[in-house]
Amino acid sequence: MTIHKIVLSTSEESNTFIGTFHYDRNGTCIQHVGRYMMKDIAGHFVFNSTGAYVGAADIRVVKVNYQEYAFLLINMSKGVNHSKSVNLYGRTRKLTKETTEEFKEFALRQGIPEDMILFLPEKGACVPRDPIPESSVKDRKRRALDKMRKGLSLATS
């Protein structure tokens, strides 16, 4: 399980918005795009997938602080299987202790067992791209650091 980045954007269709998810899967950055249909009630959306993840999700924004976070309740179905999850989306990677405690209480009220409420560790940004072999990354970082050091020595001479 990893932290996901999601970018929401409007669609040409008035009742639809686009969610672009960026996440790490076994060391590779993946990008997944989903279309969400707005329902008649504010904060209520439906997602229907026809790709590799065939299924549907009923999504409700339960609480929102537009500058900081949103609490979501998601009911998913895939064939005869149904599940419920709660998600905490933040505008920043670090949320206040008060926000995480409030989210934990919200999750418990939804019937999520305490041992299933997870706050995942930060693993860095995942920018969609082809994976770069580790040695190339190290070489590039070393060259960039050398360049920066040379620049600093020239500036102080």
Side-chain angles (χ1 to χ4, degrees):
M1 296 179 78
T2 61
I3 294 175
H4 291 62
K5 173 183 176 185
I6 180 171
V7 177
L8 301 174
S9 58
T10 57
S11 169
E12 292 177 8
E13 301 169 44
S14 63
N15 65 339
T16 304
F17 71 91
I18 307 297
T20 305
F21 292 84
H22 305 273
Y23 55 95
D24 179 279
R25 172 147 311 142
N26 300 323
T28 302
C29 285
I30 305 292
Q31 178 177 314
H32 176 76
V33 177
R35 299 176 67 77
Y36 296 82
M37 303 294 291
M38 291 183 258
K39 301 303 279 178
D40 293 336
I41 301 169
H44 184 193
F45 306 92
V46 175
F47 172 76
N48 290 302
S49 174
T50 57
Y53 305 102
V54 176
D58 182 83
I59 304 162
R60 295 173 191 266
V61 178
V62 177
K63 182 173 182 172
V64 65
N65 174 324
Y66 289 98
Q67 284 69 45
E68 296 179 48
Y69 62 84
F71 294 179
L72 278 67
L73 176 61
I74 303 172
N75 289 298
M76 296 168 282
S77 60
K78 186 174 181 177
V80 296
N81 299 318
H82 300 280
S83 63
K84 176 175 22 178
S85 70
V86 293
N87 291 9
L88 170 59
Y89 286 99
R91 289 210 179 257
T92 64
R93 295 175 186 269
K94 300 280 184 186
L95 296 171
T96 66
K97 183 174 175 72
E98 293 80 15
T99 299
T100 57
E101 286 300 317
E102 185 178 357
F103 177 76
K104 186 175 179 179
E105 291 172 17
F106 165 69
L108 290 169
R109 285 193 309 271
Q110 301 308 313
I112 306 295
E114 188 167 4
D115 63 342
M116 296 295 290
I117 301 170
L118 307 172
F119 294 95
L120 302 173
E122 173 60 44
K123 290 186 176 181
C126 181
V127 180
R129 62 177 165 18
D130 292 330
I132 300 170
E134 188 176 336
S135 60
S136 297
V137 172
K138 285 181 180 178
D139 290 344
R140 204 178 311 162
K141 285 181 180 179
R142 183 182 38 74
R143 285 193 303 270
L145 185 58
D146 289 343
K147 206 183 252 189
M148 186 175 71
R149 285 182 184 146
K150 285 178 186 173
L152 287 174
S153 65
L154 291 174
T156 57
S157 301

